[in-house]
Amino acid sequence: MMDAVQKALSRYWGYSSFLPLQQEAMECLLGGRDSVVVLPTGGGKSLCFQAPAVTLPGTAVVVSPLIALMKDQVDGLIQCGVPAARLDSTQSPQEHQSVLTDLKTNRLKLLYLSPERLLSNGFPELLANIRISFFAIDEAHCVSMWGHDFRPEYRRLGQLKRLFPHIPIAAYTATATEHVRNDIVEQLGLQNARLLIGSFDRSNLVYKVQPRSQIIRQVGEVLERHKDESGVIYCLRRRDVDELCVQLNARGCRAAPYHAGMADEDRKINQERFITEKVHIIVATIAFGMGIDKSNVRFVIHTGMPKSLEHYQQESGRAGRDGLEAECCLFYGGGDYGLWQFLMRDLPDEAAKIAALKLSEMYNYCTGVQCRHRAILNYFGQSLDKDNCGACDVCLGELETVDDSLVVAQKILSCIVRLEQQFGVGYTTRVLLGSKDQRILESGHDTLSTYGLLSDHSRQAVRGWIEQLVGQGCIEKVGQYGVLTVTPKGWAVLRGRHTPHLFKPAEKPVNISRVAADSWRAVDRGLFEALRQLRTRIAAENRVPAYLVFGDATLRDLARQRPSKPEILLRIKGVGEKKCSQYGAEVLATIRDYCRAQGQEMDIHGPAVLACPPENRSAARQTAFQLFAQKRPLKEVAQSVCRAESTTVQYLVEYIAYERIVTPQPWVDEPTFARVAQAARNCDLSKIKPVFERLNGQISYDAVRICLACLRNR
Ligand code: ADP
Ligand code: ZN
């Protein structure tokens, strides 16, 4: 059975391997067992039921809470050549009838519908006469009041098990808490369900946090790094959405707004423009997001602090669903804390307590100096299995610790004491900066010994430090106005018994994350652009979102391997038979024309592609091959052929593939090779990154790459 699934995976989706837990999740369905699958956004949940649905006899019934989600998935399936349909209220009676006919004649592999419709009058009876392979419940946390998105109609799904006791049910969600999981099992009446819980680390997301100062400039810097790429900017309030949109458009960035205050129709139009890439940026309140499965969102910016890490994870998680690198930047201000407190003021006691706790954890995340990946994982009860994530501002060294943290902290704390713990952040900052503010002069605070003590620092820096001291528990903000008071820990700092860690943004340029470096490795950017334009055109002609035609990962692979023929095109991840026959000719022509014009070679890179025969090699490559045959060291070969070392490693990898070499000496020593071989067990040998990561970066990327090239020949 699993073989059939593998075949379907390659034929319809163009994938050759599974993401973590996908195989286990599929085995449940093939074996007829109930299951609850918890995987993060982008973890590949839909494939867990789509691939078995294709191979099992009958039709799989998929329950989904939103029309947009159903439409996206059905469109995607049809693009891959899988017979799928949905039933929803936007369809005409004719469309409706035709879906029902297809269903009754067993022509559908998947049918998507809402819980209301599934349990509506007569529908279960209709299904009773049809062969159903299984029920898949998407966004299953909607059954739970403990989730963030309870839907009463999901509760009724409990009837399914009673109506169809022999049909397996699989529930899928990205919401991890134990409460929710238990609720899903109970509410759906699952029997002996297998629980599959994935890691919640989104290693391809690069998290960054900064105090907010001039937000438009800060946002501008992020956008600078993502020209022409899709992204979402979240604001706390509608007003902020509108303002930011105006400002961005005035600067020539095309951005569309989205918030609950807009007319339904306008919102829908903007969402559609974003999905079809007519605009790249959407500026939104949290009203935006549910039902957006756009896989190639490359950045998510928050211009204010969300009210919990759950919210942050969910919103920022909309970036990088395709597994490629994406950036999540959070700009926070002390005012956000107060705003949320204000909005939460009317909550009943118990709820208020929980909300306040979540808020303060969120705030600690912002002001903390711990690895962001670790902080988020710890919050969700998991741990990070590496020391340096290589994908957050802390680990990338973008924050610099202030040398004299203790002295700076003491200056701030003593100023608060001198102000008799009566003032908030803004006022205290101004006193420390030595401001000539009327109010300060009138109160005589310009005569305090702490007046102007930090005048050689920026206002943003001083504010940031105060917030950090709050975050680290040295200062507390009291009451409606957030009056600063010194905590016992703060007094310990004043007495020199405890040193807090204060940091400031580093002045060096932004580091490129390892994830980004890896996923762009050997990609011809010019060709990537050309293919992206082709994709946009195809998408418009077929009236589907671009990412459903080909994902970004597929475009990069194409621009890396540059296939010349359909057989080789089919080996690219994300190109199945249907897409190959439908778009293959255009894709191959684009690649051929580009490579001809640029003098780029084709059919190189990638282990799946055979190394090129001698007659197709460039002069540099030929010389390199000769030198490798003499076992010359890499550096020497690089110099001899006047190529960068990275290119030379590429030549070596091709040489190894071509000559079918199985041990990497003299380029990598035996013990290193043994370690890589060990780490690569049960791994997909065509993927370098997972093995490199398993080794915690202790062995260089190139060495791992060379070793894997040898292992592939065994
Ligand atoms: P989720 O629903 O868990 O957020 P999706 O089902 O949308 O995740 O999948 C996320 C991305 O991963 C999609 O672009 C999908 O095509 C891709 N994907 C899923 N399974 C695989 C696989 N086995 N190999 C490669 N890519 C995959
Ligand atoms: Zn980190």
Side-chain angles (χ1 to χ4, degrees):
M1 238 357 204
M2 214 55 209
D3 276 358
V5 170
Q6 285 264 13
K7 283 211 185 86
L9 212 59
S10 129
R11 174 167 170 207
Y12 293 101
W13 285 274
Y15 296 148
S16 53
S17 56
F18 296 103
L19 297 179
L21 295 184
Q22 276 185 331
Q23 190 168 359
E24 290 83 345
M26 292 180 193
E27 276 163 359
C28 290
L29 288 174
L30 299 180
R33 181 169 173 187
D34 289 351
S35 56
V36 177
V37 179
V38 188
L39 283 174
T41 312
K45 286 184 286 296
S46 18
L47 209 67
C48 294
F49 57 84
Q50 290 172 346
V54 169
T55 38
L56 285 168
T59 306
V61 176
V62 184
V63 178
S64 176
L66 281 181
I67 295 178
L69 283 176
M70 294 190 221
K71 183 166 172 355
D72 198 73
Q73 292 211 4
V74 172
D75 288 351
L77 285 166
I78 291 172
Q79 281 295 310
C80 293
V82 176
R86 64 194 155 90
L87 280 177
D88 69 50
S89 52
T90 64
Q91 290 165 319
S92 67
Q94 288 88 331
E95 283 176 295
H96 210 100
Q97 258 323 312
S98 112
V99 172
L100 287 181
T101 311
D102 285 348
L103 177 68
K104 287 180 196 156
T105 49
N106 200 14
R107 268 183 282 184
L108 293 176
K109 292 277 64 171
L110 294 108
L111 175 69
Y112 283 71
L113 35 69
S114 64
E116 298 90 315
R117 185 170 305 262
L118 174 59
L119 299 167
S120 65
N121 261 346
F123 209 83
E125 290 74 12
L126 188 151
L127 287 183
N129 294 315
I130 283 161
R131 180 154 190 186
I132 301 173
S133 48
F134 57 81
F135 291 105
I137 317 291
D138 210 1
E139 312 289 346
H141 56 273
C142 293
V143 303
S144 173
M145 293 221 245
W146 294 95
H148 47 82
D149 202 25
F150 174 57
R151 294 181 177 237
E153 64 279 10
Y154 257 67
R155 274 283 153 97
R156 294 183 50 215
L157 290 171
Q159 295 175 32
L160 274 185
K161 207 62 208 180
R162 264 169 270 141
L163 293 169
F164 304 93
H166 302 299
I167 295 184
I169 300 181
Y172 301 87
T173 175
T175 303
T177 69
E178 205 179 327
H179 237 125
V180 174
R181 282 182 333 238
N182 294 340
D183 231 15
I184 291 173
V185 173
E186 203 167 303
Q187 296 295 330
L188 295 178
L190 303 186
Q191 306 290 317
N192 179 31
R194 173 134 194 232
L195 202 58
L196 294 165
I197 300 165
S199 161
F200 273 73
D201 190 30
R202 302 279 315 273
S203 58
N204 60 321
L205 301 187
V206 178
Y207 295 112
K208 299 183 179 184
V209 185
Q210 266 180 35
R212 186 172 57 231
S213 51
Q214 296 156 280
I215 191 64
I216 181 73
R217 182 182 57 76
Q218 292 174 305
V219 167
E221 283 172 7
V222 183
L223 298 185
E224 218 23 57
R225 296 197 281 276
H226 297 279
K227 284 224 167 80
D228 295 333
E229 295 182 333
S230 293
V232 182
I233 306 178
Y234 281 110
C235 299
L236 297 186
R237 292 170 300 196
R238 295 172 191 178
R239 182 167 39 133
D240 303 337
V241 168
D242 292 331
E243 271 176 30
L244 189 58
C245 247
V246 170
Q247 284 175 312
L248 285 175
N249 283 309
R251 293 177 158 223
C253 302
R254 298 220 299 134
Y258 188 104
H259 58 66
M262 295 164 53
D264 272 359
E265 193 51 32
D266 293 339
R267 270 197 306 190
K268 224 171 110 189
I269 291 174
N270 284 351
Q271 174 166 326
E272 199 63 27
R273 283 164 74 206
F274 179 63
I275 289 175
T276 52
E277 304 193 350
K278 299 220 169 61
V279 293
H280 288 305
I281 305 167
I282 198 112
V283 184
T285 58
I286 58 170
F288 177 80
M290 180 77 164
I292 303 295
D293 264 357
K294 186 170 161 55
S295 70
N296 60 342
V297 172
R298 296 266 74 86
F299 64 92
V300 170
I301 300 174
H302 279 77
T303 64
M305 180 180 79
K307 62 178 166 180
S308 74
L309 269 168
E310 277 96 338
H311 283 88
Y312 185 60
Q313 210 221 8
Q314 196 177 45
E315 287 148 29
S316 62
R318 301 201 165 110
R321 290 180 87 107
D322 51 14
L324 298 174
E325 84 289 347
E327 189 175 351
C328 304
C329 292
L330 166 53
F331 299 105
Y332 72 100
D336 302 342
Y337 199 101
L339 176 69
W340 283 118
Q341 277 180 322
F342 175 73
L343 294 173
M344 291 168 176
R345 69 195 180 283
D346 292 331
L347 287 176
D349 261 5
E350 192 58 23
K353 241 190 248 156
I354 297 174
L357 191 69
K358 292 191 170 192
L359 182 61
S360 78
E361 302 223 42
M362 183 69 230
Y363 188 65
N364 291 347
Y365 170 84
C366 293
T367 54
V369 283
Q370 201 197 156
C371 164
R372 311 289 178 192
H373 282 266
R374 187 182 315 280
I376 292 176
L377 273 186
N378 290 351
Y379 181 79
F380 289 105
Q382 296 187 338
S383 52
L384 188 70
D385 56 0
K386 48 194 164 196
D387 288 337
N388 186 308
C389 76
C392 79
D393 49 357
V394 179
C395 294
L396 288 169
E398 286 179 8
L399 301 176
E400 256 167 42
T401 317
V402 177
D403 292 334
D404 44 357
S405 283
L406 179 61
V407 178
V408 171
Q410 286 175 332
K411 287 179 178 171
I412 292 171
L413 291 163
S414 79
C415 185
I416 294 170
V417 174
R418 295 275 139 73
L419 288 170
E420 296 172 10
Q421 314 195 65
Q422 302 276 339
F423 295 89
V425 184
Y427 191 87
T428 309
T429 304
R430 287 200 295 277
V431 173
L432 281 161
L433 289 173
S435 143
K436 298 262 181 312
D437 208 73
Q438 196 64 28
R439 217 173 124 213
I440 293 177
L441 301 181
E442 275 167 16
S443 342
H445 287 144
D446 55 333
T447 61
L448 293 179
S449 58
T450 51
Y451 177 76
L453 264 188
L454 293 176
S455 58
D456 42 356
H457 296 279
S458 70
R459 194 178 130 96
Q460 181 205 350
V462 176
R463 269 196 95 109
W465 291 328
I466 296 179
E467 299 294 354
Q468 288 165 29
L469 287 170
V470 176
Q472 293 171 38
C474 301
I475 303 174
E476 201 174 346
K477 289 185 181 174
V478 179
Q480 196 182 346
Y481 302 106
V483 168
L484 301 180
T485 46
V486 178
T487 64
K489 196 165 166 194
W491 285 104
V493 173
L494 276 170
R495 299 201 181 96
R497 292 208 207 109
H498 171 78
T499 306
H501 294 287
L502 299 183
F503 58 89
K504 57 181 181 197
E507 291 185 358
K508 57 187 163 193
V510 180
N511 284 313
I512 174 158
S513 77
R514 198 173 60 207
V515 203
D518 282 354
S519 62
W520 279 107
R521 195 175 286 266
V523 174
D524 185 311
R525 296 262 190 161
L527 180 55
F528 176 82
E529 268 317 308
L531 290 167
R532 192 157 74 154
Q533 283 170 21
L534 173 68
R535 175 176 72 176
T536 307
R537 211 193 68 221
I538 293 178
E541 282 165 12
N542 290 276
R543 295 172 180 277
V544 286
Y547 62 92
L548 290 184
V549 175
F550 289 119
D552 278 18
T554 302
L555 288 196
R556 288 192 200 179
D557 261 357
L558 287 169
R560 190 182 283 125
Q561 306 197 17
R562 313 193 273 277
S564 67
K565 314 194 248 295
E567 306 89 272
I568 305 186
L569 177 61
L570 269 172
R571 297 191 200 148
I572 302 278
K573 193 171 102 182
V575 184
E577 284 176 11
K578 169 109 191 274
K579 287 185 185 170
C580 184
S581 67
Q582 201 169 358
Y583 312 130
E586 280 178 289
V587 169
L588 290 172
T590 304
I591 296 176
R592 191 185 53 233
D593 293 350
Y594 179 90
C595 290
R596 225 176 249 161
Q598 303 290 323
Q600 268 289 19
E601 287 180 75
M602 298 171 72
D603 297 334
I604 54 165
H605 304 290
V609 183
L610 280 179
C612 57
E615 62 272 19
N616 282 355
R617 289 181 204 145
S618 68
R621 192 181 257 109
Q622 269 186 27
T623 314
F625 274 38
Q626 282 161 9
L627 294 169
F628 290 136
Q630 297 166 22
K631 308 249 174 229
R632 313 305 296 173
L634 265 172
K635 268 214 170 61
E636 191 191 313
V637 179
Q639 277 170 4
S640 307
V641 300
C642 295
R643 289 287 184 277
E645 237 186 302
S646 56
T647 314
T648 316
V649 171
Q650 176 58 39
Y651 290 165
L652 178 56
V653 166
E654 287 171 32
Y655 172 75
I656 290 171
Y658 185 69
E659 296 293 347
R660 307 221 156 258
I661 291 171
V662 292
T663 53
Q665 291 87 343
W667 301 289
V668 178
D669 60 29
E670 181 56 38
T672 306
F673 182 51
R675 285 184 63 193
V676 177
Q678 174 72 23
R681 278 182 160 194
N682 305 326
C683 282
D684 177 351
L685 295 177
S686 66
K687 296 216 184 79
I688 303 158
K689 204 177 79 196
V691 181
F692 173 77
E693 276 173 359
R694 268 200 186 176
L695 290 158
N696 290 323
Q698 287 162 4
I699 293 180
S700 79
Y701 193 94
D702 284 341
V704 173
R705 201 166 157 214
I706 295 167
C707 293
L708 289 180
C710 293
L711 289 171
R712 288 196 291 267
N713 292 330
R714 293 194 163 186

mmCIF file of all heavy atoms in Angstrom, residues 170-191:
data_model
loop_
_atom_site.group_PDB
_atom_site.id
_atom_site.type_symbol
_atom_site.label_atom_id
_atom_site.label_comp_id
_atom_site.label_asym_id
_atom_site.label_seq_id
_atom_site.Cartn_x
_atom_site.Cartn_y
_atom_site.Cartn_z
ATOM 1 N N ALA A 170 -9.460 10.957 10.584
ATOM 2 C CA ALA A 170 -8.160 11.550 10.896
ATOM 3 C C ALA A 170 -8.363 13.033 11.142
ATOM 4 O O ALA A 170 -9.041 13.709 10.371
ATOM 5 C CB ALA A 170 -7.193 11.337 9.739
ATOM 6 N N ALA A 171 -7.813 13.521 12.248
ATOM 7 C CA ALA A 171 -7.967 14.937 12.590
ATOM 8 C C ALA A 171 -6.622 15.632 12.454
ATOM 9 O O ALA A 171 -5.600 15.091 12.860
ATOM 10 C CB ALA A 171 -8.486 15.058 14.018
ATOM 11 N N TYR A 172 -6.624 16.824 11.883
ATOM 12 C CA TYR A 172 -5.379 17.553 11.651
ATOM 13 C C TYR A 172 -5.450 18.943 12.254
ATOM 14 O O TYR A 172 -6.451 19.632 12.112
ATOM 15 C CB TYR A 172 -5.117 17.685 10.141
ATOM 16 C CG TYR A 172 -5.031 16.345 9.473
ATOM 17 C CD1 TYR A 172 -6.182 15.709 9.006
ATOM 18 C CD2 TYR A 172 -3.813 15.692 9.351
ATOM 19 C CE1 TYR A 172 -6.117 14.455 8.430
ATOM 20 C CE2 TYR A 172 -3.737 14.436 8.775
ATOM 21 C CZ TYR A 172 -4.895 13.821 8.314
ATOM 22 O OH TYR A 172 -4.820 12.576 7.762
ATOM 23 N N THR A 173 -4.393 19.349 12.907
ATOM 24 C CA THR A 173 -4.356 20.703 13.444
ATOM 25 C C THR A 173 -2.921 21.147 13.657
ATOM 26 O O THR A 173 -2.008 20.327 13.706
ATOM 27 C CB THR A 173 -5.118 20.811 14.786
ATOM 28 O OG1 THR A 173 -4.944 22.130 15.306
ATOM 29 C CG2 THR A 173 -4.601 19.823 15.813
ATOM 30 N N ALA A 174 -2.750 22.463 13.775
ATOM 31 C CA ALA A 174 -1.420 22.990 14.091
ATOM 32 C C ALA A 174 -1.390 23.481 15.532
ATOM 33 O O ALA A 174 -0.402 24.012 15.997
ATOM 34 C CB ALA A 174 -1.071 24.130 13.143
ATOM 35 N N THR A 175 -2.498 23.325 16.222
ATOM 36 C CA THR A 175 -2.550 23.818 17.596
ATOM 37 C C THR A 175 -2.206 22.699 18.559
ATOM 38 O O THR A 175 -2.850 21.663 18.572
ATOM 39 C CB THR A 175 -3.943 24.381 17.920
ATOM 40 O OG1 THR A 175 -4.216 25.395 16.973
ATOM 41 C CG2 THR A 175 -3.973 24.967 19.302
ATOM 42 N N ALA A 176 -1.175 22.971 19.377
ATOM 43 C CA ALA A 176 -0.546 21.846 20.042
ATOM 44 C C ALA A 176 -1.042 21.496 21.438
ATOM 45 O O ALA A 176 -0.794 20.403 21.903
ATOM 46 C CB ALA A 176 0.942 22.111 20.116
ATOM 47 N N THR A 177 -1.721 22.379 22.114
ATOM 48 C CA THR A 177 -1.869 22.121 23.541
ATOM 49 C C THR A 177 -2.595 20.812 23.828
ATOM 50 O O THR A 177 -3.425 20.344 23.061
ATOM 51 C CB THR A 177 -2.632 23.253 24.268
ATOM 52 O OG1 THR A 177 -3.972 23.207 23.814
ATOM 53 C CG2 THR A 177 -2.035 24.611 23.983
ATOM 54 N N GLU A 178 -2.239 20.243 24.967
ATOM 55 C CA GLU A 178 -2.745 18.941 25.316
ATOM 56 C C GLU A 178 -4.260 18.972 25.491
ATOM 57 O O GLU A 178 -4.984 18.082 25.090
ATOM 58 C CB GLU A 178 -2.085 18.511 26.619
ATOM 59 C CG GLU A 178 -2.051 17.034 26.778
ATOM 60 C CD GLU A 178 -1.378 16.647 28.071
ATOM 61 O OE1 GLU A 178 -0.459 17.366 28.498
ATOM 62 O OE2 GLU A 178 -1.798 15.644 28.648
ATOM 63 N N HIS A 179 -4.708 20.058 26.082
ATOM 64 C CA HIS A 179 -6.126 20.265 26.276
ATOM 65 C C HIS A 179 -6.901 20.079 24.978
ATOM 66 O O HIS A 179 -7.905 19.383 24.908
ATOM 67 C CB HIS A 179 -6.331 21.716 26.746
ATOM 68 C CG HIS A 179 -7.032 21.770 28.039
ATOM 69 N ND1 HIS A 179 -6.516 22.423 29.124
ATOM 70 C CD2 HIS A 179 -8.205 21.250 28.434
ATOM 71 C CE1 HIS A 179 -7.355 22.299 30.127
ATOM 72 N NE2 HIS A 179 -8.377 21.593 29.738
ATOM 73 N N VAL A 180 -6.394 20.769 23.950
ATOM 74 C CA VAL A 180 -7.074 20.734 22.659
ATOM 75 C C VAL A 180 -7.029 19.326 22.078
ATOM 76 O O VAL A 180 -8.017 18.813 21.561
ATOM 77 C CB VAL A 180 -6.427 21.749 21.692
ATOM 78 C CG1 VAL A 180 -7.020 21.626 20.302
ATOM 79 C CG2 VAL A 180 -6.606 23.161 22.216
ATOM 80 N N ARG A 181 -5.869 18.693 22.201
ATOM 81 C CA ARG A 181 -5.719 17.336 21.648
ATOM 82 C C ARG A 181 -6.713 16.370 22.277
ATOM 83 O O ARG A 181 -7.400 15.615 21.587
ATOM 84 C CB ARG A 181 -4.299 16.840 21.891
ATOM 85 C CG ARG A 181 -3.359 17.451 20.920
ATOM 86 C CD ARG A 181 -1.933 17.002 21.025
ATOM 87 N NE ARG A 181 -1.417 16.540 22.259
ATOM 88 C CZ ARG A 181 -0.363 17.085 22.873
ATOM 89 N NH1 ARG A 181 0.203 18.157 22.378
ATOM 90 N NH2 ARG A 181 0.108 16.554 23.968
ATOM 91 N N ASN A 182 -6.786 16.419 23.594
ATOM 92 C CA ASN A 182 -7.708 15.524 24.281
ATOM 93 C C ASN A 182 -9.142 15.790 23.868
ATOM 94 O O ASN A 182 -9.944 14.880 23.700
ATOM 95 C CB ASN A 182 -7.583 15.680 25.796
ATOM 96 C CG ASN A 182 -6.218 15.206 26.260
ATOM 97 O OD1 ASN A 182 -5.566 14.447 25.545
ATOM 98 N ND2 ASN A 182 -5.778 15.666 27.412
ATOM 99 N N ASP A 183 -9.425 17.059 23.730
ATOM 100 C CA ASP A 183 -10.769 17.459 23.343
ATOM 101 C C ASP A 183 -11.131 16.903 21.971
ATOM 102 O O ASP A 183 -12.260 16.464 21.746
ATOM 103 C CB ASP A 183 -10.831 18.989 23.307
ATOM 104 C CG ASP A 183 -12.007 19.504 24.104
ATOM 105 O OD1 ASP A 183 -12.559 18.713 24.884
ATOM 106 O OD2 ASP A 183 -12.354 20.683 23.932
ATOM 107 N N ILE A 184 -10.167 16.921 21.070
ATOM 108 C CA ILE A 184 -10.428 16.422 19.716
ATOM 109 C C ILE A 184 -10.801 14.943 19.773
ATOM 110 O O ILE A 184 -11.802 14.513 19.201
ATOM 111 C CB ILE A 184 -9.189 16.634 18.812
ATOM 112 C CG1 ILE A 184 -8.982 18.128 18.543
ATOM 113 C CG2 ILE A 184 -9.332 15.873 17.496
ATOM 114 C CD1 ILE A 184 -7.704 18.464 17.809
ATOM 115 N N VAL A 185 -10.002 14.171 20.508
ATOM 116 C CA VAL A 185 -10.257 12.731 20.609
ATOM 117 C C VAL A 185 -11.645 12.478 21.188
ATOM 118 O O VAL A 185 -12.432 11.674 20.687
ATOM 119 C CB VAL A 185 -9.187 12.058 21.496
ATOM 120 C CG1 VAL A 185 -9.544 10.601 21.758
ATOM 121 C CG2 VAL A 185 -7.817 12.163 20.836
ATOM 122 N N GLU A 186 -11.945 13.235 22.231
ATOM 123 C CA GLU A 186 -13.195 13.011 22.934
ATOM 124 C C GLU A 186 -14.403 13.443 22.104
ATOM 125 O O GLU A 186 -15.342 12.687 21.915
ATOM 126 C CB GLU A 186 -13.152 13.821 24.227
ATOM 127 C CG GLU A 186 -14.066 13.295 25.286
ATOM 128 C CD GLU A 186 -13.702 13.957 26.601
ATOM 129 O OE1 GLU A 186 -12.525 13.840 27.007
ATOM 130 O OE2 GLU A 186 -14.578 14.613 27.172
ATOM 131 N N GLN A 187 -14.334 14.661 21.594
ATOM 132 C CA GLN A 187 -15.476 15.197 20.854
ATOM 133 C C GLN A 187 -15.771 14.397 19.593
ATOM 134 O O GLN A 187 -16.918 14.236 19.215
ATOM 135 C CB GLN A 187 -15.222 16.657 20.455
ATOM 136 C CG GLN A 187 -15.093 17.613 21.616
ATOM 137 C CD GLN A 187 -16.381 17.732 22.392
ATOM 138 O OE1 GLN A 187 -17.464 17.585 21.823
ATOM 139 N NE2 GLN A 187 -16.287 17.973 23.682
ATOM 140 N N LEU A 188 -14.721 13.920 18.939
ATOM 141 C CA LEU A 188 -14.948 13.186 17.697
ATOM 142 C C LEU A 188 -15.183 11.704 17.960
ATOM 143 O O LEU A 188 -15.466 10.948 17.043
ATOM 144 C CB LEU A 188 -13.755 13.350 16.752
ATOM 145 C CG LEU A 188 -13.484 14.766 16.226
ATOM 146 C CD1 LEU A 188 -12.258 14.781 15.337
ATOM 147 C CD2 LEU A 188 -14.694 15.291 15.452
ATOM 148 N N GLY A 189 -15.052 11.318 19.220
ATOM 149 C CA GLY A 189 -15.276 9.919 19.575
ATOM 150 C C GLY A 189 -14.293 8.972 18.904
ATOM 151 O O GLY A 189 -14.656 7.857 18.505
ATOM 152 N N LEU A 190 -13.049 9.416 18.754
ATOM 153 C CA LEU A 190 -12.058 8.583 18.069
ATOM 154 C C LEU A 190 -11.759 7.328 18.884
ATOM 155 O O LEU A 190 -11.772 7.357 20.116
ATOM 156 C CB LEU A 190 -10.772 9.379 17.829
ATOM 157 C CG LEU A 190 -10.935 10.675 17.037
ATOM 158 C CD1 LEU A 190 -9.573 11.287 16.737
ATOM 159 C CD2 LEU A 190 -11.702 10.434 15.743
ATOM 160 N N GLN A 191 -11.491 6.236 18.181
ATOM 161 C CA GLN A 191 -11.224 4.952 18.831
ATOM 162 C C GLN A 191 -9.748 4.612 18.702
ATOM 163 O O GLN A 191 -9.240 4.545 17.591
ATOM 164 C CB GLN A 191 -12.027 3.836 18.142
ATOM 165 C CG GLN A 191 -13.522 4.108 18.058
ATOM 166 C CD GLN A 191 -14.167 4.034 19.428
ATOM 167 O OE1 GLN A 191 -13.869 3.141 20.200
ATOM 168 N NE2 GLN A 191 -15.037 5.000 19.724
#
